[in-house]
């Protein structure tokens, strides 16, 4: 394994950082604005690519700006996590087994919370 491979970031870390910056901003941001707000040192083009991918996934919206697009989060961080959970569930043909295994792995507190929500307890 090369040094570059060993230093590779976990999948989704950069997207999560970009989404966090958009959520924190509270208003549409350019790629340059997002780049300045995230802790990683990335090229503007890398941030623009990440934003375009997030737009393609439906996680962010965009509108025309003076120079390129302005991006905004479509959901808060909790909604984005729920979207990722739905996408993961959609990737398997046997939803019942996936859901069963998910529930088997829940803590007692999470299981009780899920049961409360399913019974109409809502948030």
């Amino acid at each position: 394994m090369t040094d570059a491979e060993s230093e590779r970031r976990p999948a989704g870390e950069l997207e999560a950082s970009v989404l966090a910056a958009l959520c924190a901003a509270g208003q549409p941001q350019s790629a340059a604005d997002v780049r300045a707000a995230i802790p990683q040192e990335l090229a503007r083009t890398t941030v623009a690519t990440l934003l375009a991918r997030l737009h393609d996934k439906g996680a962010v919206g965009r509108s025309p700006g003076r120079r390129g697009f302005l991006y905004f989060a479509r959901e808060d961080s909790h909604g984005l996590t729920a979207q990722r959970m739905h996408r993961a569930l959609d990737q398997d043909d046997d939803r019942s087994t996936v859901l069963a295994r998910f529930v088997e792995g829940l803590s007692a507190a999470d299981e009780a919370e899920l049961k409360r929500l399913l019974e109409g307890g809502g948030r």
Side-chain angles (χ1 to χ4, degrees), residues 19-29 33-34 37 71:
L19 284 169
L22 286 175
C23 287
Q27 63 184 20
Q29 300 286 296
D33 295 332
V34 173
Y71 294 88

Side-chain angles (χ1 to χ4, degrees), residues 64-97:
R66 287 188 293 165
R67 303 170 97 196
F69 291 107
L70 297 177
Y71 294 88
F72 54 91
R74 291 195 181 272
E75 298 268 354
D76 64 12
S77 62
H78 303 298
L80 293 169
T81 299
Q83 281 182 1
R84 285 193 303 275
M85 292 168 72
H86 282 287
R87 278 196 303 273
L89 183 59
D90 290 343
Q91 291 177 357
D92 198 296
D93 293 334
D94 190 353
R95 293 175 76 90
S96 180
T97 300

Side-chain angles (χ1 to χ4, degrees), residues 7-20 38-40 42 50 54 84:
E7 293 176 15
R8 192 170 257 163
R9 295 172 183 92
E13 177 186 316
L14 293 177
E15 286 184 358
S17 185
V18 166
L19 284 169
I38 61 175
Q40 297 91 341
L42 301 174
L50 288 164
L54 289 166
R84 285 193 303 275

Side-chain angles (χ1 to χ4, degrees), residues 92-115:
D92 198 296
D93 293 334
D94 190 353
R95 293 175 76 90
S96 180
T97 300
V98 172
L99 287 168
R101 299 251 171 95
F102 177 76
V103 170
E104 288 170 4
L106 292 175
S107 68
D110 286 342
E111 189 173 340
E113 179 64 10
L114 183 58
K115 184 175 181 179

